PDB file of all heavy atoms in Angstrom:
ATOM      1  N   GLY A  23     -59.933 -27.097 -41.539  1.00  0.00           N
ATOM      2  CA  GLY A  23     -61.134 -26.326 -41.759  1.00  0.00           C
ATOM      3  C   GLY A  23     -61.353 -25.288 -40.712  1.00  0.00           C
ATOM      4  O   GLY A  23     -61.742 -24.176 -40.970  1.00  0.00           O
ATOM      5  N   ARG A  24     -61.072 -25.633 -39.473  1.00  0.00           N
ATOM      6  CA  ARG A  24     -61.269 -24.740 -38.383  1.00  0.00           C
ATOM      7  C   ARG A  24     -60.294 -23.564 -38.416  1.00  0.00           C
ATOM      8  O   ARG A  24     -60.639 -22.412 -38.233  1.00  0.00           O
ATOM      9  CB  ARG A  24     -61.059 -25.482 -37.049  1.00  0.00           C
ATOM     10  CG  ARG A  24     -61.832 -24.920 -35.944  1.00  0.00           C
ATOM     11  CD  ARG A  24     -61.573 -25.669 -34.681  1.00  0.00           C
ATOM     12  NE  ARG A  24     -62.111 -24.977 -33.584  1.00  0.00           N
ATOM     13  CZ  ARG A  24     -61.777 -23.726 -33.225  1.00  0.00           C
ATOM     14  NH1 ARG A  24     -60.864 -23.145 -33.868  1.00  0.00           N
ATOM     15  NH2 ARG A  24     -62.360 -23.100 -32.212  1.00  0.00           N
ATOM     16  N   ARG A  25     -59.041 -23.869 -38.707  1.00  0.00           N
ATOM     17  CA  ARG A  25     -58.028 -22.776 -38.779  1.00  0.00           C
ATOM     18  C   ARG A  25     -58.261 -21.910 -39.984  1.00  0.00           C
ATOM     19  O   ARG A  25     -58.074 -20.721 -39.918  1.00  0.00           O
ATOM     20  CB  ARG A  25     -56.612 -23.439 -38.881  1.00  0.00           C
ATOM     21  CG  ARG A  25     -56.210 -24.086 -37.631  1.00  0.00           C
ATOM     22  CD  ARG A  25     -56.259 -23.122 -36.476  1.00  0.00           C
ATOM     23  NE  ARG A  25     -57.181 -23.588 -35.478  1.00  0.00           N
ATOM     24  CZ  ARG A  25     -57.600 -22.883 -34.458  1.00  0.00           C
ATOM     25  NH1 ARG A  25     -57.243 -21.641 -34.282  1.00  0.00           N
ATOM     26  NH2 ARG A  25     -58.439 -23.410 -33.591  1.00  0.00           N
ATOM     27  N   ASP A  26     -58.669 -22.453 -41.135  1.00  0.00           N
ATOM     28  CA  ASP A  26     -59.019 -21.637 -42.235  1.00  0.00           C
ATOM     29  C   ASP A  26     -60.142 -20.663 -41.893  1.00  0.00           C
ATOM     30  O   ASP A  26     -60.107 -19.502 -42.328  1.00  0.00           O
ATOM     31  CB  ASP A  26     -59.486 -22.508 -43.424  1.00  0.00           C
ATOM     32  CG  ASP A  26     -58.298 -23.083 -44.184  1.00  0.00           C
ATOM     33  OD1 ASP A  26     -57.157 -22.646 -43.922  1.00  0.00           O
ATOM     34  OD2 ASP A  26     -58.515 -23.995 -44.995  1.00  0.00           O
ATOM     35  N   ALA A  27     -61.047 -21.113 -41.073  1.00  0.00           N
ATOM     36  CA  ALA A  27     -62.152 -20.256 -40.675  1.00  0.00           C
ATOM     37  C   ALA A  27     -61.638 -19.046 -39.930  1.00  0.00           C
ATOM     38  O   ALA A  27     -62.060 -17.918 -40.197  1.00  0.00           O
ATOM     39  CB  ALA A  27     -63.138 -21.022 -39.764  1.00  0.00           C
ATOM     40  N   PHE A  28     -60.754 -19.274 -38.974  1.00  0.00           N
ATOM     41  CA  PHE A  28     -60.189 -18.113 -38.231  1.00  0.00           C
ATOM     42  C   PHE A  28     -59.385 -17.187 -39.095  1.00  0.00           C
ATOM     43  O   PHE A  28     -59.428 -16.024 -38.987  1.00  0.00           O
ATOM     44  CB  PHE A  28     -59.400 -18.635 -37.049  1.00  0.00           C
ATOM     45  CG  PHE A  28     -60.204 -19.044 -35.895  1.00  0.00           C
ATOM     46  CD1 PHE A  28     -60.141 -20.293 -35.373  1.00  0.00           C
ATOM     47  CD2 PHE A  28     -61.080 -18.159 -35.281  1.00  0.00           C
ATOM     48  CE1 PHE A  28     -60.908 -20.672 -34.277  1.00  0.00           C
ATOM     49  CE2 PHE A  28     -61.866 -18.488 -34.206  1.00  0.00           C
ATOM     50  CZ  PHE A  28     -61.776 -19.764 -33.718  1.00  0.00           C
ATOM     51  N   ARG A  29     -58.584 -17.811 -40.037  1.00  0.00           N
ATOM     52  CA  ARG A  29     -57.764 -16.988 -40.880  1.00  0.00           C
ATOM     53  C   ARG A  29     -58.631 -16.141 -41.796  1.00  0.00           C
ATOM     54  O   ARG A  29     -58.385 -14.945 -41.998  1.00  0.00           O
ATOM     55  CB  ARG A  29     -56.824 -17.855 -41.697  1.00  0.00           C
ATOM     56  CG  ARG A  29     -55.799 -17.027 -42.481  1.00  0.00           C
ATOM     57  CD  ARG A  29     -54.672 -17.889 -42.995  1.00  0.00           C
ATOM     58  NE  ARG A  29     -55.133 -18.851 -43.973  1.00  0.00           N
ATOM     59  CZ  ARG A  29     -55.249 -20.129 -43.761  1.00  0.00           C
ATOM     60  NH1 ARG A  29     -54.942 -20.679 -42.611  1.00  0.00           N
ATOM     61  NH2 ARG A  29     -55.639 -20.955 -44.746  1.00  0.00           N
ATOM     62  N   LEU A  30     -59.689 -16.717 -42.359  1.00  0.00           N
ATOM     63  CA  LEU A  30     -60.564 -15.970 -43.234  1.00  0.00           C
ATOM     64  C   LEU A  30     -61.303 -14.893 -42.444  1.00  0.00           C
ATOM     65  O   LEU A  30     -61.565 -13.773 -42.937  1.00  0.00           O
ATOM     66  CB  LEU A  30     -61.576 -16.926 -43.884  1.00  0.00           C
ATOM     67  CG  LEU A  30     -61.013 -17.829 -44.950  1.00  0.00           C
ATOM     68  CD1 LEU A  30     -62.004 -18.867 -45.325  1.00  0.00           C
ATOM     69  CD2 LEU A  30     -60.612 -16.984 -46.184  1.00  0.00           C
ATOM     70  N   ALA A  31     -61.637 -15.202 -41.208  1.00  0.00           N
ATOM     71  CA  ALA A  31     -62.347 -14.219 -40.369  1.00  0.00           C
ATOM     72  C   ALA A  31     -61.433 -12.976 -40.167  1.00  0.00           C
ATOM     73  O   ALA A  31     -61.909 -11.848 -40.122  1.00  0.00           O
ATOM     74  CB  ALA A  31     -62.703 -14.796 -39.044  1.00  0.00           C
ATOM     75  N   GLY A  32     -60.092 -13.232 -40.144  1.00  0.00           N
ATOM     76  CA  GLY A  32     -59.207 -12.143 -39.949  1.00  0.00           C
ATOM     77  C   GLY A  32     -58.774 -11.414 -41.181  1.00  0.00           C
ATOM     78  O   GLY A  32     -58.665 -10.194 -41.181  1.00  0.00           O
ATOM     79  N   LEU A  33     -58.659 -12.144 -42.325  1.00  0.00           N
ATOM     80  CA  LEU A  33     -58.053 -11.560 -43.503  1.00  0.00           C
ATOM     81  C   LEU A  33     -59.058 -11.081 -44.526  1.00  0.00           C
ATOM     82  O   LEU A  33     -58.709 -10.344 -45.424  1.00  0.00           O
ATOM     83  CB  LEU A  33     -57.087 -12.560 -44.166  1.00  0.00           C
ATOM     84  CG  LEU A  33     -55.912 -13.006 -43.275  1.00  0.00           C
ATOM     85  CD1 LEU A  33     -55.061 -13.988 -44.040  1.00  0.00           C
ATOM     86  CD2 LEU A  33     -55.077 -11.802 -42.863  1.00  0.00           C
ATOM     87  N   SER A  34     -60.269 -11.558 -44.432  1.00  0.00           N
ATOM     88  CA  SER A  34     -61.252 -11.234 -45.454  1.00  0.00           C
ATOM     89  C   SER A  34     -61.913  -9.934 -45.193  1.00  0.00           C
ATOM     90  O   SER A  34     -62.683  -9.740 -44.253  1.00  0.00           O
ATOM     91  CB  SER A  34     -62.319 -12.328 -45.542  1.00  0.00           C
ATOM     92  OG  SER A  34     -63.383 -11.896 -46.368  1.00  0.00           O
ATOM     93  N   ALA A  35     -61.646  -8.952 -45.976  1.00  0.00           N
ATOM     94  CA  ALA A  35     -62.273  -7.633 -45.800  1.00  0.00           C
ATOM     95  C   ALA A  35     -63.789  -7.725 -45.983  1.00  0.00           C
ATOM     96  O   ALA A  35     -64.574  -7.098 -45.262  1.00  0.00           O
ATOM     97  CB  ALA A  35     -61.705  -6.614 -46.825  1.00  0.00           C
ATOM     98  N   ALA A  36     -64.187  -8.609 -46.907  1.00  0.00           N
ATOM     99  CA  ALA A  36     -65.618  -8.787 -47.117  1.00  0.00           C
ATOM    100  C   ALA A  36     -66.275  -9.344 -45.890  1.00  0.00           C
ATOM    101  O   ALA A  36     -67.398  -8.971 -45.463  1.00  0.00           O
ATOM    102  CB  ALA A  36     -65.859  -9.698 -48.329  1.00  0.00           C
ATOM    103  N   GLY A  37     -65.559 -10.356 -45.265  1.00  0.00           N
ATOM    104  CA  GLY A  37     -66.138 -10.948 -44.067  1.00  0.00           C
ATOM    105  C   GLY A  37     -66.273  -9.966 -42.932  1.00  0.00           C
ATOM    106  O   GLY A  37     -67.291  -9.954 -42.225  1.00  0.00           O
ATOM    107  N   LEU A  38     -65.293  -9.106 -42.795  1.00  0.00           N
ATOM    108  CA  LEU A  38     -65.346  -8.088 -41.752  1.00  0.00           C
ATOM    109  C   LEU A  38     -66.413  -7.059 -42.059  1.00  0.00           C
ATOM    110  O   LEU A  38     -67.076  -6.556 -41.158  1.00  0.00           O
ATOM    111  CB  LEU A  38     -63.974  -7.448 -41.581  1.00  0.00           C
ATOM    112  CG  LEU A  38     -62.901  -8.280 -40.862  1.00  0.00           C
ATOM    113  CD1 LEU A  38     -61.570  -7.574 -40.873  1.00  0.00           C
ATOM    114  CD2 LEU A  38     -63.339  -8.554 -39.438  1.00  0.00           C
ATOM    115  N   ALA A  39     -66.539  -6.705 -43.313  1.00  0.00           N
ATOM    116  CA  ALA A  39     -67.541  -5.740 -43.682  1.00  0.00           C
ATOM    117  C   ALA A  39     -68.947  -6.317 -43.378  1.00  0.00           C
ATOM    118  O   ALA A  39     -69.825  -5.605 -42.900  1.00  0.00           O
ATOM    119  CB  ALA A  39     -67.458  -5.374 -45.166  1.00  0.00           C
ATOM    120  N   LEU A  40     -69.113  -7.594 -43.630  1.00  0.00           N
ATOM    121  CA  LEU A  40     -70.422  -8.220 -43.356  1.00  0.00           C
ATOM    122  C   LEU A  40     -70.690  -8.137 -41.864  1.00  0.00           C
ATOM    123  O   LEU A  40     -71.822  -7.770 -41.450  1.00  0.00           O
ATOM    124  CB  LEU A  40     -70.358  -9.725 -43.775  1.00  0.00           C
ATOM    125  CG  LEU A  40     -71.574 -10.560 -43.421  1.00  0.00           C
ATOM    126  CD1 LEU A  40     -72.784 -10.057 -44.131  1.00  0.00           C
ATOM    127  CD2 LEU A  40     -71.300 -12.005 -43.730  1.00  0.00           C
ATOM    128  N   ALA A  41     -69.682  -8.426 -41.049  1.00  0.00           N
ATOM    129  CA  ALA A  41     -69.883  -8.413 -39.580  1.00  0.00           C
ATOM    130  C   ALA A  41     -70.126  -7.011 -39.122  1.00  0.00           C
ATOM    131  O   ALA A  41     -70.869  -6.793 -38.173  1.00  0.00           O
ATOM    132  CB  ALA A  41     -68.678  -9.053 -38.910  1.00  0.00           C
ATOM    133  N   ALA A  42     -69.464  -6.075 -39.769  1.00  0.00           N
ATOM    134  CA  ALA A  42     -69.488  -4.659 -39.246  1.00  0.00           C
ATOM    135  C   ALA A  42     -70.729  -3.895 -39.645  1.00  0.00           C
ATOM    136  O   ALA A  42     -71.374  -3.247 -38.836  1.00  0.00           O
ATOM    137  CB  ALA A  42     -68.278  -3.892 -39.729  1.00  0.00           C
ATOM    138  N   CYS A  43     -71.127  -4.023 -40.965  1.00  0.00           N
ATOM    139  CA  CYS A  43     -72.200  -3.131 -41.360  1.00  0.00           C
ATOM    140  C   CYS A  43     -73.156  -3.792 -42.327  1.00  0.00           C
ATOM    141  O   CYS A  43     -74.246  -3.222 -42.586  1.00  0.00           O
ATOM    142  CB  CYS A  43     -71.622  -1.911 -42.022  1.00  0.00           C
ATOM    143  SG  CYS A  43     -70.561  -2.232 -43.459  1.00  0.00           S
ATOM    144  N   GLY A  44     -72.885  -4.938 -42.857  1.00  0.00           N
ATOM    145  CA  GLY A  44     -73.733  -5.531 -43.869  1.00  0.00           C
ATOM    146  C   GLY A  44     -74.812  -6.415 -43.316  1.00  0.00           C
ATOM    147  O   GLY A  44     -75.638  -6.985 -44.066  1.00  0.00           O
ATOM    148  N   VAL A  45     -74.861  -6.579 -42.013  1.00  0.00           N
ATOM    149  CA  VAL A  45     -75.820  -7.490 -41.384  1.00  0.00           C
ATOM    150  C   VAL A  45     -76.946  -6.739 -40.793  1.00  0.00           C
ATOM    151  O   VAL A  45     -76.784  -5.788 -40.063  1.00  0.00           O
ATOM    152  CB  VAL A  45     -75.105  -8.285 -40.253  1.00  0.00           C
ATOM    153  CG1 VAL A  45     -76.131  -9.136 -39.566  1.00  0.00           C
ATOM    154  CG2 VAL A  45     -73.971  -9.108 -40.839  1.00  0.00           C
ATOM    155  N   GLN A  46     -78.148  -7.130 -41.178  1.00  0.00           N
ATOM    156  CA  GLN A  46     -79.360  -6.470 -40.642  1.00  0.00           C
ATOM    157  C   GLN A  46     -80.087  -7.447 -39.757  1.00  0.00           C
ATOM    158  O   GLN A  46     -80.263  -8.597 -40.062  1.00  0.00           O
ATOM    159  CB  GLN A  46     -80.261  -6.047 -41.794  1.00  0.00           C
ATOM    160  CG  GLN A  46     -79.586  -5.051 -42.758  1.00  0.00           C
ATOM    161  CD  GLN A  46     -79.220  -3.768 -42.055  1.00  0.00           C
ATOM    162  OE1 GLN A  46     -79.950  -3.293 -41.238  1.00  0.00           O
ATOM    163  NE2 GLN A  46     -78.064  -3.204 -42.382  1.00  0.00           N
ATOM    164  N   GLY A  47     -80.497  -6.972 -38.633  1.00  0.00           N
ATOM    165  CA  GLY A  47     -81.289  -7.825 -37.706  1.00  0.00           C
ATOM    166  C   GLY A  47     -81.894  -6.975 -36.649  1.00  0.00           C
ATOM    167  O   GLY A  47     -81.537  -5.782 -36.498  1.00  0.00           O
ATOM    168  N   LYS A  48     -82.779  -7.537 -35.894  1.00  0.00           N
ATOM    169  CA  LYS A  48     -83.429  -6.777 -34.849  1.00  0.00           C
ATOM    170  C   LYS A  48     -82.463  -6.454 -33.737  1.00  0.00           C
ATOM    171  O   LYS A  48     -82.552  -5.410 -33.081  1.00  0.00           O
ATOM    172  CB  LYS A  48     -84.639  -7.569 -34.275  1.00  0.00           C
ATOM    173  CG  LYS A  48     -85.717  -7.765 -35.327  1.00  0.00           C
ATOM    174  CD  LYS A  48     -86.886  -8.582 -34.717  1.00  0.00           C
ATOM    175  CE  LYS A  48     -87.994  -8.793 -35.713  1.00  0.00           C
ATOM    176  NZ  LYS A  48     -89.084  -9.576 -35.178  1.00  0.00           N
TER     177      LYS A  48
END
Side-chain angles (χ1 to χ4, degrees):
R24 207 182 171 299
R25 290 304 119 191
D26 280 347
F28 279 122
R29 188 166 65 252
L30 287 170
L33 298 180
S34 169
L38 284 173
L40 174 66
C43 58
V45 176
Q46 299 297 322
K48 295 179 179 178

